Amino acid sequence: MQAPFAQLRTVVRWRDLTPMRRRDGLLECAHPLPWLAASWIAAALAVWPVAIVCTFMFFLTALRLNHEAIHGNLGFRPRTDRRVLHALSAVMLGSNSAVAFNHVRHHRYLGTPDDLEGACGRMRLWAVIRHGPCFPIEMHRAAWRDGDAALRRRMTIDFGLNAAVVGAAVASWSPVLLYHVAAMSVAQCLTAFFAVWVTHHDCAPDDVARTQRSAILNYISYNMFLHREHHLFPGVPVRRLGILAARIAEAVPDMERRAALVVPEPRFRGRVRAMPS
């Protein structure tokens, strides 16, 4: 990376950003709910463009919540974090317990052959789009193969929840539930692009991920584009990554000047603002 991680930990104030109260975690859990409700209402009314936009935002906020549960950044106990992952598995489909296994390995083995999740970031654009349907299959297979018995039990719970949701959609033949199952299936196939490639493609060998400086883009993306900051300090909750980015920019200006952005924009000239909690 551009500055040794050990050095960053000594020059950047970050520990005060890590504490989360239980009510902070509950607020994080609430973020996907309005988007899920809005997508279902729009689907019930057959307003498909609105349904698709709301579904995209639901999946984005669900990814954020999933991400925070994986890293223990919700202020909950580990058992509660695992329950959050199970609940998200039911509504997102797939096993978020498997996602957690691979994501932890992604942080540990970033850029190496053992980083199965991050491999998509090293592909070309069209290659990662073609690979999209295979990505969740690979993630689940690796987690089942390499994980322990406890992980396989959690994955089994996730698969049971998936079957219950899909079964309810088919048995009821509800247009809303059928739309949701179809939309989540497509979203899972695009995860390699949106959740990995967008933030990792074409990074310099000494960089860990891309980031973003536009306050508007960070607001509408729920700070999920501040991915470099997350990799450098995974214990800092996503809601505070904007504050962390500003501190890194102040403490290590050379690192800031060379930052790779998710969406190109004029060079950043001010402090990064965190998305309002």
Side-chain angles (χ1 to χ4, degrees):
M1 68 184 62
Q2 294 166 331
F5 181 55
Q7 177 186 349
L8 281 177
R9 292 175 69 90
T10 61
V11 300
V12 176
R13 290 187 300 113
W14 62 277
R15 294 188 184 279
D16 61 308
L17 301 177
T18 60
M20 287 281 282
R21 297 164 297 183
R22 184 176 179 82
R23 65 182 182 183
D24 296 327
L26 291 174
L27 179 59
E28 288 291 330
C29 291
H31 281 148
L33 300 180
W35 294 113
L36 179 62
S39 70
W40 286 6
I41 292 171
L45 298 174
V47 186
W48 302 116
V50 175
I52 290 170
V53 170
C54 292
T55 298
F56 177 85
M57 294 304 298
F58 160 71
F59 202 79
L60 172 68
T61 52
L63 281 176
R64 167 170 157 156
L65 177 58
N66 182 67
H67 197 259
E68 296 293 70
I70 291 171
H71 288 283
N73 290 344
L74 292 173
F76 300 155
R77 295 179 179 179
R79 176 179 292 184
T80 305
D81 288 331
R82 290 193 292 270
R83 288 172 177 169
V84 171
L85 293 178
H86 287 316
L88 288 170
S89 296
V91 289
M92 298 173 73
L93 301 186
S95 170
N96 280 310
S97 300
V99 171
F101 175 84
N102 287 290
H103 188 67
V104 170
R105 290 174 64 88
H106 170 57
H107 276 263
R108 183 178 302 162
Y109 302 116
L110 180 66
T112 72
D114 292 322
D115 177 17
L116 184 60
E117 176 183 310
C120 294
R122 299 187 290 275
M123 296 179 181
R124 307 313 302 170
L125 174 59
W126 290 113
V128 79
I129 295 295
R130 288 195 303 269
H131 183 69
C134 300
F135 179 73
I137 298 173
E138 288 182 350
M139 295 297 102
H140 287 75
R141 181 185 299 155
W144 188 270
R145 180 189 64 232
D146 300 333
D148 58 15
L151 174 61
R152 286 191 282 273
R153 284 195 298 271
R154 293 195 293 271
M155 289 178 65
T156 300
I157 293 172
D158 292 340
F159 293 146
L161 292 170
N162 293 169
V165 170
V166 174
V170 173
S172 66
W173 209 247
S174 163
V176 172
L177 288 180
L178 290 171
Y179 161 76
H180 181 77
V181 168
M184 291 301 99
S185 300
V186 172
Q188 290 290 348
C189 292
L190 293 174
T191 301
F193 171 72
F194 284 111
V196 183
W197 188 87
V198 163
T199 52
H200 282 287
H201 74 92
D202 297 321
C203 285
D206 59 347
D207 206 352
V208 291
R210 291 177 174 265
T211 187
Q212 198 64 56
R213 291 296 171 261
S214 165
I216 295 176
L217 285 176
N218 285 334
Y219 182 84
I220 63 177
S221 65
Y222 281 78
N223 281 353
M224 291 294 282
F225 283 170
L226 293 168
H227 202 61
R228 181 190 68 170
E229 290 73 20
H230 163 67
H231 267 276
L232 294 174
F233 296 90
V236 174
V238 174
R239 60 171 20 192
R240 299 184 184 129
L241 289 181
I243 301 171
L244 177 65
R247 292 182 182 181
I248 294 174
E250 182 177 354
V252 194
D254 182 60
M255 186 177 185
E256 177 65 14
R257 284 191 294 269
R258 295 191 292 167
L261 301 180
V262 173
V263 179
E265 61 182 76
R267 284 288 91 182
F268 174 63
R269 297 183 180 180
R271 296 182 67 84
V272 183
R273 293 185 177 182
M275 192 196 83
S277 299

